[in-house]
Amino acid sequence: MEAVEMNSVSLKRPHSEDDVASADEIKRQKILEKSKAGSDSGQSIETVTEQLKDIKSEMIPNDESEEQEEEDLGDSDEDGDPESFADMMKHGLTESDVGITKFVSSHKGFSGILKERYSDFVVHEIGKDGRVSHLDDFSVPVDDEVNFEDPSEETFTVLSDEDKQRLEELQLFKNKEASVAIEVIEDTKEKRTIIHQAVKSLFPGLETKTEDRDGKKYIIAYHAAGKKALANPRKHSWPKSRGSYCHFVLYKENKDTMDAINVLSKFLRVKPNIFSYMGTKDKRAITVQEIAVLRITAQRLAHLNKCLMNFKLGNFSYKNHPLKLGELQGNHFTVVLRNITGTDDQIEQAMHSLREIGFINYYGMQRFGTTAVPTYQIGRAILQNNWTEVMDLILKPRPGAEKGYLVKCREEWAKTKDPAAALKKLPVKSYQSYVWNNMVSKRIEEYGLRAVPGDLILKGATAVHIEEGDVDNYTIHDVVMPLPGFDVIYPKHKIGEAYKEMLVADNLDINNMRHKIRDYSLSGAYRKIIIRPQNVNWEVVAYDDPKIPLFTTDLDKLEGKPLPLLPVDGKFRALKMEFSLPPSTYATMAIREVLKMDTSIKNQTQLNTTWLR
């Protein structure tokens, strides 16, 4: 396969950023010198507490710096400066770094660009009933209960920006006053009713009353039930015949699920914890998923469509239950691979293999972060109780920007000053994923694509070994491999010994994966070796303009946008593919099997033409 070399492209950061990076490196080194003085690998959690205090004082001197770090580092991905991102990715991980080394298909690989545009990657959630979530209806359901009336459209505009600011500060207990008075300019009963409705609808936890002051009428807003009312919207204003939860379909572009929830809660002025969902979705994609929210009307949610960019809400319904993580059946993916080099025969062989055989169920690159310090190394150090190394890895000077778990650890410390909570943000389970990837590669290398005696299969929730006489009853699609932890069994062949050797090399006891800090104990689990996607379809299309979309999204269809007319013989070719996957599997690993090339961001950065222009 062919990769574009970037040696001739200048990727150096601007001078001002170099200065900041140098200053940060000096600070990190200073902290590391403190942490290493008189310490050893048996360093205690109490010592970590003191060192994390140093992180706060040295790395984040004030709240403004913390907010700036979150903005700079949290968003330093493909949407930021292309040269800075490419520079960071020169030091990123490749697939072989995390144990991803094998393929199961026999076709010749070819190159293609994944996610050249975020709209080239579309995810539709599949609910537990097997229904694929689509945004195809903006209408608001009408209640049967006559006595209850949703706020009118005027509710959202009757309050001035100044009034909203004062009410929000009152709602969040940020001011000294116990109430906020809003003068009624047009003193009619209808106007007063609208203001009452607006305050109660837009600011959960506040109640209102009307008062006469110096011959003028005022709406007085005040707290009804203390701070708890903010997280528990009023019950008395919700009709008994209506389900307590408004379910809706969220269509979002280039935002991950938690970022989206935070934006929605900010605009609705409620706590994020009243939202629930079945699974988190990628950031650099268009995703469609179901969300549930406690006692927020469909009308209020629908109004957000006029306020928010890159979000659309629809398909509203009221139900009596929230959503729970993991309840989904999986996700349906629509993916465009641009500028492909494969022949028609190669593409046909690749897609037929994907449909008939499947792909190795590796944990994808996003599981391991994008920084120069692999997250599995931090997880391994935690399991070893090697707190000095944990601190070294967190604070280690590294080229380029950083994001993900390391930033979340620092953010949690800055917010809570709780070292245990900060350390919980670190990915212990990434070490399990790293071990599993390496072991499944070894399993494929040793035994190929057949079930063998000593392999593991699941019967219900229990793993059992395949006996010699039963091997013909099973295929590679039945075989599972364990994630190392307590209460699991290992294969009764070479791979079982390989697990033990790998953990011993990392100073871990395969028979005792319990950790003295309970949250770091690794409970074991089992994962299928090979996943065979469902609903596999594909099409090769030609195009000239890399910026035009090659299929219509749910929003395009709702807005009546037709697909651009594509040339019969364009300069470029793209592979449009669709498939469905169960939860906890990675679409990038299916795409990797088709292309037979490294799907790491480091490698894709080199191929992506938009970053080379």
Side-chain angles (χ1 to χ4, degrees), residues 93 97 368 372-384 386 389-390 393 396 427 430-431 434:
L93 297 172
D97 292 329
F368 302 97
V373 178
T375 54
Y376 72 82
Q377 291 183 5
I378 301 171
R380 178 172 58 200
I382 292 172
L383 292 173
Q384 294 170 340
N386 191 342
E389 185 174 355
V390 171
L393 290 170
K396 180 179 179 180
S430 285
Y431 176 71
Y434 172 72

Side-chain angles (χ1 to χ4, degrees), residues 5 14 64 143 170 201 218 231 286 291 312 377 406 419 448 458 489 527 591:
E5 293 293 338
E64 288 184 3
D143 274 312
L170 175 68
S201 297
Y218 290 85
I286 292 175
I291 306 286
K312 288 295 178 183
Q377 291 183 5
L406 303 182
L458 286 179
I489 61 174
R527 182 176 176 87
I591 295 163

Side-chain angles (χ1 to χ4, degrees), residues 432 481-490 513 521-526:
Q432 281 181 307
M481 294 266 285
L483 286 137
F486 57 85
D487 297 332
V488 300
I489 61 174
Y490 294 87
M513 299 298 287
S521 288
L522 290 183
S523 58
Y526 299 95

Side-chain angles (χ1 to χ4, degrees), residues 159-217:
L159 298 173
S160 68
D161 290 339
E162 182 183 353
D163 289 337
K164 289 178 181 177
Q165 180 67 30
R166 293 164 61 214
L167 289 166
E168 183 171 357
E169 290 175 355
L170 175 68
Q171 181 199 35
L172 298 177
F173 297 90
K174 289 185 176 180
N175 57 3
K176 297 178 181 179
E177 291 77 20
S179 63
V180 165
I182 300 170
E183 183 180 355
V184 182
I185 305 299
E186 302 172 25
D187 185 17
T188 64
K189 184 177 180 180
E190 291 76 14
K191 194 69 172 182
R192 293 198 302 272
T193 299
I194 291 172
I195 296 175
H196 282 293
Q197 282 186 332
V199 174
K200 291 179 181 180
S201 297
L202 300 179
F203 300 92
L206 297 185
E207 287 291 351
T208 57
K209 59 185 178 182
T210 303
E211 285 186 3
D212 286 308
R213 295 182 180 180
D214 300 325
K216 296 180 180 178
K217 277 197 166 52

Side-chain angles (χ1 to χ4, degrees), residues 455-480:
D455 272 337
L456 292 166
I457 58 167
L458 286 179
K459 291 190 174 179
T462 305
V464 298
H465 293 100
I466 299 178
E467 301 298 334
E468 184 76 41
D470 292 333
V471 69
D472 291 337
N473 296 327
Y474 301 102
T475 71
I476 192 66
H477 297 100
D478 301 310
V479 178
V480 297

Side-chain angles (χ1 to χ4, degrees), residues 267-280:
F267 274 80
L268 293 169
R269 297 178 177 86
V270 295
K271 294 288 188 181
N273 62 5
I274 70 172
F275 291 86
S276 58
Y277 48 89
M278 295 183 286
T280 57

